[in-house]
């Protein structure tokens, strides 16, 4: 079992960090764009928070090869980003595919929890981790859902900046900006919109 845990630890940590880094790295290229004034973004944020029934989503995917993928789903309404879900898809080793779904989740959870703790993602209102196992049990998805009605965008940006330093300082600008600008930015940097 130790060998399996070591395999999972290596696979999971590398791929989840890649999933997080995918979004974070993309923000580094957007330094030339001007940020909106804080007062305008704040007023827009307060106005649109009262109309949660109009939330739409778009998902962007980057294939990393070897059955690894990063997905980023943006929840938005009108001109405001209201949620984000970062997903890292990775293969489950063949010898573990014989386990049932509950056993797989139990085996994966400690490593995921440890990684989330190291990255400052635990015990923070608005950050909701989850694990999904594919029906064929060949892949699992490590999920971090961010609900901006529960966590301020500034607070989330600070957590992200701690992981990537200066290159992630653009995160807050994109979170407070128009969703379409972020969608275009993702596409310009090699992500594909999932239909």
């Amino acid at each position: 079992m130790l060998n399996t845990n070591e395999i999972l630890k290596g696979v999971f940590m590398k791929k989840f960090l890649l999933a997080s880094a995918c979004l974070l790295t993309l923000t580094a290229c957007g330094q030339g764009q001007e940020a909106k004034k804080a007062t305008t973004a704040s007023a827009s944020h307060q106005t649109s928070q009262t109309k949660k029934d109009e939330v739409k989503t778009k998902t962007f995917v980057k294939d990393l090869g070897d059955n690894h993928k990063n997905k980023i789903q943006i929840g938005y309404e009108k001109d405001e980003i209201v949620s984000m879900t970062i997903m890292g898809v990775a293969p489950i080793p063949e010898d573990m595919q014989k386990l049932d779904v509950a056993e797989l989740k139990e085996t994966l959870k400690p490593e995921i929890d440890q990684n989330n703790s190291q990255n400052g993602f635990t015990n923070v209102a608005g950050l909701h981790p989850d694990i999904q196992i594919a029906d064929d049990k060949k892949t699992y998805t490590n999920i971090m859902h961010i609900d901006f009605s529960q966590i301020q965008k500034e607070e989330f940006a600070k957590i992200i900046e701690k992981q990537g330093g200066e290159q992630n300082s653009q995160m807050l600008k994109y979170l407070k900006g128009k969703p379409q600008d972020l969608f275009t930015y993702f596409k310009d940097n090699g992500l594909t919109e999932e239909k």
Side-chain angles (χ1 to χ4, degrees), residues 59-71:
T59 303
F60 297 87
V61 181
K62 182 153 190 147
D63 192 338
L64 304 173
D66 295 327
N67 293 318
H68 292 90
K69 289 181 185 176
N70 288 339
K71 294 185 178 187

Side-chain angles (χ1 to χ4, degrees), residues 47-65:
T47 302
S48 62
Q49 286 239 335
T50 61
K51 302 175 185 175
K52 291 295 175 196
D53 56 332
E54 300 175 19
V55 175
K56 299 177 184 175
T57 61
K58 282 193 188 242
T59 303
F60 297 87
V61 181
K62 182 153 190 147
D63 192 338
L64 304 173

Side-chain angles (χ1 to χ4, degrees), residues 149-161:
S149 69
Q150 297 177 10
I151 183 172
Q152 292 185 2
K153 292 175 181 177
E154 293 85 355
E155 184 182 351
F156 179 67
K158 285 179 186 176
I159 292 170
I160 295 302
E161 282 181 20

Side-chain angles (χ1 to χ4, degrees), residues 24 55 58 157 178 183:
L24 306 179
V55 175
K58 282 193 188 242
K178 291 185 178 182
F183 303 156

Side-chain angles (χ1 to χ4, degrees), residues 61 107 116:
V61 181
T107 303
N116 286 341

Side-chain angles (χ1 to χ4, degrees), residues 77-180:
E77 48 186 30
K78 296 184 181 178
D79 285 339
E80 184 182 10
I81 296 169
V82 296
S83 67
M84 177 186 305
T85 305
I86 301 171
M87 297 165 273
V89 180
I92 295 173
E94 246 184 85
D95 63 328
M96 293 186 64
Q97 293 174 15
K98 63 185 175 221
L99 300 174
D100 66 31
V101 171
E103 290 173 318
L104 282 169
K105 283 187 174 184
E106 188 178 322
T107 303
L108 293 165
K109 191 173 182 332
E111 296 301 328
I112 291 172
D113 289 347
Q114 181 180 0
N115 188 50
N116 286 341
S117 178
Q118 289 173 348
N119 289 307
F121 291 148
T122 54
N123 300 320
V124 179
L127 300 184
H128 308 285
D130 194 13
I131 307 166
Q132 285 184 350
I133 308 296
D135 291 340
D136 62 6
K137 296 192 284 188
K138 291 185 178 179
T139 61
Y140 71 94
T141 304
N142 182 26
I143 301 167
M144 179 61 67
H145 180 72
I146 302 100
D147 182 346
F148 293 118
S149 69
Q150 297 177 10
I151 183 172
Q152 292 185 2
K153 292 175 181 177
E154 293 85 355
E155 184 182 351
F156 179 67
K158 285 179 186 176
I159 292 170
I160 295 302
E161 282 181 20
K162 288 178 186 175
Q163 296 174 41
E166 190 176 319
Q167 73 175 15
N168 296 319
S169 63
Q170 298 297 313
M171 174 62 77
L172 185 58
K173 177 177 76 174
Y174 282 108
L175 293 177
K176 286 190 166 186
K178 291 185 178 182
Q180 190 58 49

